[in-house]
Amino acid sequence: MRVTNNMLVGTVLNNLNRNLEQLNKLQNQMSSGKVISSPSDNPVGAVRVMGLRATIKQQEQYANNMRDIKAWLDTSEAAFGRATDIFQRARELAVYGASGSLAPEDKAAMAEEVDQLINELLQVANSNFEGRYIFGGHYTRETPFSRSSKPDGSEIVVYAGDDGQLQWEISPGVKVAANVSGQEAFGVDPSTKESKTFQVLIDLKKALQDPNDNPGDSIKSIDEEIDHLLSIRASLGARSQRMEMGLDRVSSDNINLTSIQSQLEDVDIAEAAMNYAMQEYVYRAALATGARTMQPSLLDFLR
């Protein structure tokens, strides 16, 4: 086969371009820190990296959900702690008021204190988290509990929420309720919307105001409410602990996934630098060889 000068030039240029492309690829890897900058670099590796990124993003969202659930549960648990304190003080007043040595003025003062306890419990029942009422069920934007009166003048506390649960997804197909509805927490009758929990304190107040009534009769109901509140607090504490463990698990999983992702796409700087130096040497050698190969031409012979 006859080798022309154009063939030599073409071969030299092709080799130079190929070497330059390789040099550019290594330079990109070193400057970006990534072995895979486009799917064409490593189609299988690129698919795995994209899958890992999606999984890590999903895990981060689950972690955010668990943090929100835990914050909501902890706020609810703190509210039940204050409610328990209120009923324990009410119990002390009921025991004290049951003694027959108190003057009517003393019982009136105790009734006033119970009235303030009702207001305090109302504030607890209307607690909110980031502007959303935690005991309203699905109705988190409306004040769930309010004091009211029946047509006969008797006092009641009514509920404006429902028995809905607010659920967040914490892993594929797994949802956890972050709230306890006011209906469950404060013994609301679904048909009348009246709260049995508040009624216990209202009855104690009436017993202290009525000389013919015995405040000690409220002690059993108060004890039942304290037991109920403690039971809910225990359930909330268990759920909060589960979220804590879930956050630890997601954090550990993400560390492992990030490590695998790094192994697939991150560049070994020392190896890349060595390859770059070698490729640069090859490119310079190709330039020098090409310059020597293309030097003699027909014009050189005709001179």
Side-chain angles (χ1 to χ4, degrees):
M1 182 180 70
R2 186 170 70 89
V3 178
T4 65
N5 195 53
N6 283 341
M7 292 173 65
L8 284 174
V9 171
T11 302
V12 169
L13 288 177
N14 284 338
N15 289 336
L16 284 175
N17 285 334
R18 188 172 62 253
N19 290 332
L20 200 57
E21 286 176 4
Q22 186 63 25
L23 204 59
N24 181 56
K25 181 179 178 181
L26 289 170
Q27 194 175 38
N28 282 339
Q29 289 180 357
M30 291 178 64
S31 59
S32 68
K34 303 294 181 186
V35 175
I36 303 173
S37 57
S38 66
S40 60
D41 291 335
N42 182 351
V44 176
V47 170
R48 289 192 63 192
V49 168
M50 286 189 285
L52 287 167
R53 283 179 184 167
T55 303
I56 290 170
K57 283 287 182 187
Q58 188 181 43
Q59 292 280 74
E60 288 173 352
Q61 184 55 54
Y62 288 143
N64 289 334
N65 288 352
M66 282 188 275
R67 289 190 193 95
D68 287 344
I69 293 172
K70 188 174 187 310
W72 193 290
L73 291 171
D74 290 346
T75 303
S76 300
E77 199 274 338
F80 281 113
R82 294 196 297 275
T84 305
D85 293 341
I86 290 169
F87 272 93
Q88 285 174 340
R89 176 57 185 161
R91 191 181 193 283
E92 291 173 6
L93 293 173
V95 172
Y96 190 44
S99 65
S101 59
L102 293 176
E105 294 79 11
D106 296 331
K107 285 192 172 183
M110 293 167 65
E112 177 60 27
E113 183 175 350
V114 172
D115 188 69
Q116 292 305 313
L117 291 178
I118 294 171
N119 286 333
E120 181 61 22
L121 185 61
L122 193 64
Q123 191 169 345
V124 169
N126 289 330
S127 298
N128 70 79
F129 175 71
E130 295 183 342
R132 302 175 69 186
Y133 292 103
I134 60 177
F135 296 121
H138 289 137
Y139 298 91
T140 58
R141 300 295 182 186
E142 300 175 15
T143 306
F145 288 94
S146 59
R147 294 182 81 163
S148 182
S149 299
K150 289 183 176 180
D152 62 1
S154 59
E155 190 177 7
I156 56 173
V157 171
V158 294
Y159 181 54
D162 64 7
D163 198 27
Q165 289 189 329
L166 304 178
Q167 295 189 330
W168 275 266
E169 189 169 0
I170 61 169
S171 64
V174 179
K175 293 184 178 180
V176 171
N179 70 316
V180 175
S181 73
Q183 186 168 311
E184 177 186 358
F186 297 95
V188 174
D189 185 331
S191 59
T192 64
K193 292 293 185 180
E194 295 178 18
S195 167
K196 172 178 166 291
T197 299
F198 279 93
Q199 196 59 45
V200 171
L201 296 182
I202 292 170
D203 290 343
L204 174 60
K205 176 185 167 186
K206 287 167 56 181
L208 288 167
Q209 292 172 330
D210 188 347
N212 299 319
D213 211 341
N214 181 12
D217 294 342
S218 299
I219 293 176
K220 182 181 178 183
S221 298
I222 291 173
D223 287 341
E224 289 175 353
E225 290 302 326
I226 291 174
D227 290 343
H228 174 64
L229 293 171
L230 290 175
S231 172
I232 293 179
R233 287 184 70 183
S235 172
L236 292 173
R239 274 190 269 174
S240 178
Q241 181 65 25
R242 181 186 174 189
M243 294 303 103
E244 191 79 38
M245 295 170 66
L247 284 169
D248 289 342
R249 172 179 51 77
V250 169
S251 175
S252 176
D253 289 349
N254 270 3
I255 289 173
N256 292 333
L257 291 171
T258 304
S259 174
I260 296 171
Q261 180 187 346
S262 176
Q263 291 172 14
L264 286 172
E265 69 172 353
D266 289 350
V267 70
D268 183 335
I269 295 295
E271 182 182 358
M274 188 175 65
N275 290 338
Y276 183 83
M278 180 66 71
Q279 194 60 41
E280 187 179 23
Y281 174 78
V282 171
Y283 180 68
R284 289 180 183 277
L287 279 176
T289 304
R292 292 178 63 87
T293 301
M294 291 185 292
Q295 254 184 353
S297 65
L298 181 59
L299 290 176
D300 296 323
F301 291 108
L302 293 176
R303 284 175 186 168

